[in-house]
């Protein structure tokens, strides 16, 4: 029996100031993951879904990057106000949030 149904990986990579790629940590990724964790607990889902800190997911140009497994759905430029939508629509109702998906076939194969 698997321990978790889904994993939410949030890039918390930190690069030196001024790095040309930037980094997710400077774009509030730590706060985004903390909110995922808080809301999962409040919704009674923390035993089914795990919000994990991740190192670099190599999608730096897409801001705060969030990756949901097992679906392998990549979200970009995720902000605090997007967390609830991802939880309600994708995690609870199994419908990815199309407006937040990275529109690049290197990440989401169904990207157009």
């Amino acid at each position: 029996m698997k321990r978790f149904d889904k994993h939410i990986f949030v890039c918390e990579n930190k690069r030196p100031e001024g790095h040309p790629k930037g980094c997710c940590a400077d774009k509030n990724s730590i706060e985004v993951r903390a909110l995922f964790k808080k809301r999962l607990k409040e919704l009674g889902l923390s035993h089914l879904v795990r919000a994990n800190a991740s190192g670099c997911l190599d999608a730096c140009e897409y801001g705060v990057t969030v990756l949901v497994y097992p679906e392998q759905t990549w979200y970009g430029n995720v902000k605090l106000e997007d967390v609830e939508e991802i939880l309600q629509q994708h995690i609870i109702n199994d419908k990815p949030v199309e407006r937040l998906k990275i529109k690049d076939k290197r990440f989401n194969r169904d990207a157009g």
Side-chain angles (χ1 to χ4, degrees), residues 57-76:
L57 292 169
D58 201 24
C60 311
E61 65 269 34
Y62 297 106
V64 174
T65 303
V66 173
L67 173 58
V68 178
Y69 264 80
E71 297 91 332
Q72 298 184 46
T73 301
W74 292 76
Y75 293 115

Side-chain angles (χ1 to χ4, degrees), residues 4 6 9 12 18 22 32 34 39 43 46 48 51 63 65 80 85 93 104 110:
F4 296 105
K6 294 183 188 297
F9 295 98
E12 292 188 6
V32 167
R39 289 297 294 136
L43 293 166
S46 58
L48 297 173
T65 303
L80 288 169
E85 185 175 4
N93 291 308
D104 182 328
D110 62 347

Side-chain angles (χ1 to χ4, degrees), residues 7-13 15 21-30 32-33 36 52-69 72-79 82 86 100-102 107-108:
H7 289 269
I8 303 168
F9 295 98
V10 181
C11 177
E12 292 188 6
N13 189 51
R15 285 202 167 91
K21 282 189 167 186
C23 65
C24 290
D26 286 347
K27 297 172 185 161
N28 295 325
S29 64
I30 294 165
V32 167
R33 184 177 69 95
F36 270 116
N52 299 291
S54 168
C56 185
L57 292 169
D58 201 24
C60 311
E61 65 269 34
Y62 297 106
V64 174
T65 303
V66 173
L67 173 58
V68 178
Y69 264 80
Q72 298 184 46
T73 301
W74 292 76
Y75 293 115
N77 297 309
V78 176
K79 297 175 178 46
D82 299 321
I86 293 170
L100 293 172
K101 285 174 64 176
I102 295 175
F107 300 98
N108 287 303

